[in-house]
Each structure stands twice: as C-alpha cells, then as structure tokens.
Amino acid sequence: MNGVTELGYLGIGVSDLDAWRRYATQIVGMQLVDDSAGAEFYLRMDQWHHRIAVHKDSSDDLLYMGWRVAGPEELYSMKKRLEEAGVKVRRASDEEADERKVLGLLKLEDPAGNPTEIFFAPRVDAHLPFHPGRPLFGKFITGDQGLGHCIIRQMDAEKAYEFYRLLGLTGYVEYRLPLPNGMVAQPWFMHCNPRQHSLAFGFGPAPKRINHLLIEYSSLDDLGQTHDLIRDQGVEVALQLGKHANDHALTFYAANPSKWLFEFAWGARPALNQQEHYVSDIFGHGNESAGFGVDLPLRERR
Ligand code: MBD
Ligand code: FE
C-alpha cells in the first residue's frame, strides 16, 4: 500500500505574530522566511522552503496538517482509496497548490474535522543553506521522519484510527495510565516512517485541535540550551524533562505564544515492528503548569 510517507508541514493561526517571530527563532532556533505570499511568514527547519506556515488568525490553533506522498501517481491512488472508503476529498486547484509550495494537493477533513492535506513535491530550497534563528550545535531531525509529531484532538479514537490507517499510518494504544478518578487513559500513537509516532490522540477532551508539536534536535546540547532559554525567560512548562517509554526520547513540554505546547526532544529511537504498551514513562515528565491537556500521571509514583 502506497500511503503517506511523513508529516510534511503544518499551517497554524496565531494572534501575536511578533511574539511568534521571536519565540520560533530566538528560543526554538527555527529560521524566519518572509519571502512570498501564501502566509504571514514561514518557519524553516531544513532545506524545505518551510515546515510551518504562520497565518494571522485569532484561533491560536492548528489550521491544517500536510501529509506527504511520493508523487502524482500516489496522490491519484490516495484520492481513489479515500473516495472508495466514503471520505469526502477534493483535488485542490493549481493556485491552492502554489500557496502551499507543492505541485499537487488533496484537501479533506479527518473524523474530528481537522483540516487535512495530502501533497507531493514540496519546494526544496537546495540552494539556500539552513540558517538557524539562534546558533545550534546540530540540526533539526527531519528528512524521512518528517518535521516531528502532533497530538491532535479526536472525539472518537476508533474512528480516527480507521481514518489514519486509510492514509497509511499504523500503530495502536501504547499506554494505559490509571487516572486518579479511577478511569484509565489510553492514548493512541501512529507512524508511517522511522519516527516512532507522527500522530497521537486519545488524551481526552481538548479546547484546541492541537495539543503539541514535537520537534527533535540532533544535539543534546541544543535541547539543553532551549531548556535554559525557556527557564530563564519564565516560559510556562507543562511537563518537566523526562524520557518516554515508547520513543525513548528525552523531552520537555513548554507553552508557545498561542498557549499550546511545543515538545522539545532529543535522542528518540525508531519505531518498532511490533506493538508494545506501557504503564509509565521511564523517568521524569512531572506535571508542572496545569491546563495544557497533558495533566497525566505519565510516570508511576515510586
Ligand atoms: C509522547 O510524545 C507524548 O507526547 C506522550 C504524552 C507520551 C508518549 C510520547
Ligand atoms: Fe509527544
């Protein structure tokens, strides 16, 4: 099956453009690109023209997710497969593809109404060296693993699972976390390449489409300096440094100017071939600032 190969780009709506310019470059280390129409500005993480398109929008939320397929034939067969499964999908116009800096594009919605795009042939600026917004020891891990992972809102996890399986992702429930109220949280994680997960859902009701975007540094020292900047500047931290049981990444979660989270990561392992499930992270990830949708007992109390 020729499914999607990676999470390629995101569009986000933000109310405070200046705060985002500053945060994304000086704290996160992304490159600001302000060169063309289609969005207010763009954020670059590698050789691609952009990985995040920033639009002015009071929602302060995800506007669309872009999933990549290999080429025009795969886009065509994906459209057919979706239609045969009864999913409403539309081939976007050339103008719409231009806006996204791709050569071909489908537009649809996932079962929770999250605007979803499937595209091929992103614009890659091979002639422009990546210039991080703050000095980095290493780089952002992207390439065949896509830009990172997203935790998004779903009303019906089983329905979401079926939809994203249709797109070509695989996975299942990977944690069973006993909650203080006697219920058990059962988050789902799905992948389509060596990144352990590109998408997760099933964390309960949420005020926004997006809970967090994970980005991964190749150098531990870059993660550490991002942590210093977040701490020195008093940015809210939702989950403290810790190591996940599923992807083994060392991560922490901090608020961005839109008040959803960035998960900053280093050291993830690739996806396994067989499903496992866990009842606790390896260490850390203590809850700090509440109300960001990850007030979960991720680590068993000892
Ligand atoms: C993740 O990336 C994550 O965000 C959570 C909550 C659990 C495991 C891996
Ligand atoms: Fe995550």
Side-chain angles (χ1 to χ4, degrees):
M1 172 166 119
N2 284 322
V4 298
T5 58
E6 68 229 37
L7 176 61
Y9 62 73
L10 296 184
I12 60 173
V14 321
S15 54
D16 192 340
L17 292 164
D18 281 337
W20 263 93
R21 277 191 191 96
R22 213 194 116 265
Y23 182 94
T25 57
Q26 292 172 32
I27 296 185
V28 184
M30 293 175 176
Q31 179 179 355
L32 191 74
V33 176
D34 223 340
D35 64 349
S36 59
E40 209 68 47
F41 60 86
Y42 296 95
L43 297 170
R44 192 170 186 234
M45 296 171 66
D46 52 21
Q47 294 307 114
W48 284 34
H49 175 270
H50 68 276
R51 292 296 192 161
I52 301 178
V54 181
H55 303 265
K56 183 153 176 63
D57 187 275
S58 60
S59 65
D60 278 307
D61 199 356
L62 178 73
L63 295 182
Y64 50 86
M65 294 176 89
W67 296 93
R68 185 186 193 179
V69 291
E73 288 155 39
E74 287 79 5
L75 196 78
Y76 180 78
S77 50
M78 178 63 77
K79 182 161 181 283
K80 237 176 95 188
R81 185 196 306 170
L82 288 164
E83 282 167 346
E84 279 165 13
V87 177
K88 211 177 126 205
V89 52
R90 171 173 82 78
R91 176 88 193 222
S93 67
D94 290 347
E95 291 72 37
E96 288 172 307
D98 276 351
E99 271 175 32
R100 300 290 192 259
K101 322 282 182 218
V102 301
L103 294 192
L105 184 63
L106 305 176
K107 292 203 182 197
L108 62 157
E109 284 185 0
D110 82 1
N114 297 307
T116 300
E117 302 183 352
I118 301 172
F119 70 94
F120 73 91
R123 173 170 149 187
V124 174
D125 285 337
H127 63 300
L128 298 176
F130 174 65
H131 185 90
R134 75 160 219 257
L136 293 182
F137 295 99
K139 57 191 185 68
F140 293 109
I141 295 184
T142 57
D144 67 357
Q145 300 192 57
L147 88 158
H149 75 232
C150 282
I151 275 42
I152 58 168
R153 178 173 60 194
Q154 294 294 338
M155 324 311 177
D156 183 333
E158 295 278 354
K159 263 199 190 149
Y161 177 62
E162 286 310 319
F163 174 84
Y164 283 101
R165 267 170 42 109
L166 201 58
L167 258 59
L169 288 91
T170 184
Y172 204 69
V173 170
E174 292 186 354
Y175 284 80
R176 306 195 74 191
L177 301 166
L179 299 172
N181 65 7
M183 304 207 356
V184 180
Q186 300 197 88
W188 299 61
F189 296 80
M190 299 188 76
H191 66 273
C192 52
N193 59 49
R195 190 178 295 284
Q196 197 273 335
H197 56 285
S198 294
L199 187 74
F201 49 85
F203 292 80
K208 294 188 184 196
R209 290 170 176 158
I210 188 165
N211 172 270
H212 68 261
L213 167 66
L214 166 137
I215 55 159
E216 185 178 354
Y217 297 104
S218 66
S219 163
L220 174 58
D221 297 340
D222 288 325
L223 179 72
Q225 292 199 348
T226 299
H227 191 259
D228 280 353
L229 288 163
I230 292 277
R231 287 305 192 184
D232 290 351
Q233 298 185 26
V235 178
E236 281 176 292
V237 169
L239 292 180
Q240 297 160 349
L241 274 170
K243 197 168 168 187
H244 285 309
N246 60 352
D247 62 10
H248 288 198
L250 178 68
T251 80
F252 71 100
Y253 300 61
N256 61 42
S258 290
K259 297 292 173 198
W260 49 271
L261 300 172
F262 267 50
E263 182 180 10
F264 299 105
W266 169 81
R269 69 172 174 176
L272 303 176
N273 287 322
Q274 290 168 298
Q275 289 299 129
E276 295 183 345
H277 84 277
Y278 316 96
V279 296
S280 170
D281 267 351
I282 299 169
F283 66 82
H285 284 150
N287 294 105
E288 189 168 307
S289 304
F292 287 100
V294 282
D295 310 319
L296 286 167
L298 266 176
R299 176 173 59 81
E300 213 164 45
R301 291 248 159 225
R302 285 183 274 264

